[in-house]
Amino acid sequence: MNDLKFFAQQLRKPSGDFAGTIAEKMGEGNRPLYDLVMKSMQIKDHDSLLEIGFGSGTHFPDLLAKADGLRVAGIDHSPEMTKLAKTNNKQLIESEQLTLHTGNSNQLPFENSSFNAVFCNMVIYFWNDPVEHLNEIGRVLKPDGIFYTGMRTRESMLQFPFTKFGFNLYSIDEWKTVLQSHWFTVVRELRQIDPVFDDDGDRVQLESVCIAAVKRS
Ligand SMILES: C[S@@+](CC[C@H](N)C(=O)[O-])C[C@H]1O[C@@H](n2cnc3c(N)ncnc32)[C@H](O)[C@@H]1O
């Protein structure tokens, strides 16, 4: 039980000696979800994008290759993740295509109307009051900007016993209702069944979902 609670806490905010291990596990396990979100994103040359909760950041090279002249910013409240993602993306940072910050998404260190799109993968479960985060996302999005939520279905998440410890789980419809009640109009939903993977001896299959929601003007 203590192990499950510890694992859940590490997923919420990787820290200490275990941070690198958890980051590697997240990076591998959530790669299919990143592929789905990148497929869903309608990115144009010279767009400015923000990711909340980037973890190890190993996906940034693929994201920046999606169009010319992209600028990507990231924010994660774990200093360990910022340090790791900076190490994993030295060249992109040096060329000023990528900037990474440590901070909480309920207080984004960006000007109003800064981004064409904001996205986060497997992060909403840790927002105890989603409204304060959605307010900030709405503030930093340009008019007609899009917020992409990468998540798993509730049934998928319930396969993991650690989700009993501090995860705010949503069905897809519940999350869409939260979005529609605060700043956003849902415009698209993509789903995929991820490949089966081995989770410490258990065969697990997840359903990934990406919800695209436009900021209402
Ligand atoms: C489960 S991990 C997901 C990491 C990565 N997005 C992925 O899908 O593999 C959640 C990440 O979000 C970060 N995070 C959680 N809540 C946050 C918040 N309120 N503001 C910024 N980062 C947050 C954590 O530190 C962690 O790196």
Side-chain angles (χ1 to χ4, degrees):
M1 193 273 247
N2 280 344
D3 283 355
L4 293 178
K5 196 170 175 184
F6 174 74
F7 196 65
Q9 284 165 347
Q10 286 291 322
L11 288 168
R12 173 179 282 264
K13 188 172 185 178
S15 64
D17 294 343
F18 198 64
T21 311
I22 197 94
E24 198 179 317
K25 221 172 160 51
M26 293 187 307
E28 274 172 32
N30 294 330
R31 186 62 217 207
L33 177 60
Y34 271 102
D35 291 340
L36 182 73
V37 171
M38 288 193 236
K39 189 163 126 195
S40 175
M41 288 174 99
Q42 296 175 329
I43 303 176
K44 303 180 298 305
D45 290 350
H46 306 291
D47 270 0
S48 187
L49 315 175
L50 170 66
E51 177 173 13
I52 293 166
F54 46 73
S56 64
T58 49
H59 52 282
F60 283 127
D62 288 341
L63 176 63
L64 276 148
K66 290 273 164 211
D68 290 333
L70 290 182
R71 294 283 167 133
V72 175
I75 187 162
D76 196 297
H77 66 178
S78 158
E80 282 89 340
M81 291 302 99
T82 312
K83 188 169 173 209
L84 179 63
K86 281 186 174 172
T87 305
N88 287 336
N89 292 283
K90 275 200 174 95
Q91 275 188 331
L92 293 175
I93 291 168
E94 273 162 27
S95 61
E96 298 183 354
Q97 293 167 277
L98 178 66
T99 51
L100 298 178
H101 308 256
T102 302
N104 195 314
S105 49
N106 62 5
Q107 212 176 351
L108 293 172
F110 306 106
E111 303 282 321
N112 295 353
S113 303
S114 298
F115 299 102
N116 301 93
V118 176
F119 72 103
C120 64
N121 283 353
M122 305 300 282
V123 175
I124 59 168
Y125 310 116
F126 309 112
W127 291 344
N128 294 338
D129 175 8
V131 177
E132 60 179 22
H133 302 267
L134 292 176
N135 282 344
E136 277 295 87
I137 292 167
R139 181 182 69 73
V140 301
L141 271 173
K142 296 183 182 190
D144 300 325
I146 301 187
F147 173 44
Y148 298 89
T149 310
M151 61 191 290
R152 293 322 194 318
T153 58
R154 186 202 290 272
E155 295 71 27
S156 293
M157 295 301 284
L158 287 173
Q159 294 178 74
F160 298 116
F162 57 74
T163 57
K164 284 192 203 84
F165 298 95
F167 278 62
N168 304 299
L169 295 182
Y170 298 89
S171 71
I172 303 307
D173 281 346
E174 281 166 353
W175 182 246
K176 284 196 218 169
T177 301
V178 173
L179 289 168
Q180 306 258 60
S181 320
H182 301 97
W183 291 91
F184 297 100
T185 300
V186 173
V187 287
R188 209 165 49 256
E189 177 188 318
L190 281 191
R191 288 182 180 235
Q192 81 185 6
I193 305 294
D194 296 346
V196 175
F197 71 98
D198 183 90
D199 184 42
D200 291 334
D202 292 328
R203 283 165 61 79
V204 174
Q205 187 157 43
L206 303 174
E207 185 173 5
S208 285
V209 182
C210 177
I211 299 168
V214 175
K215 176 180 167 178
R216 280 198 294 269
S217 38

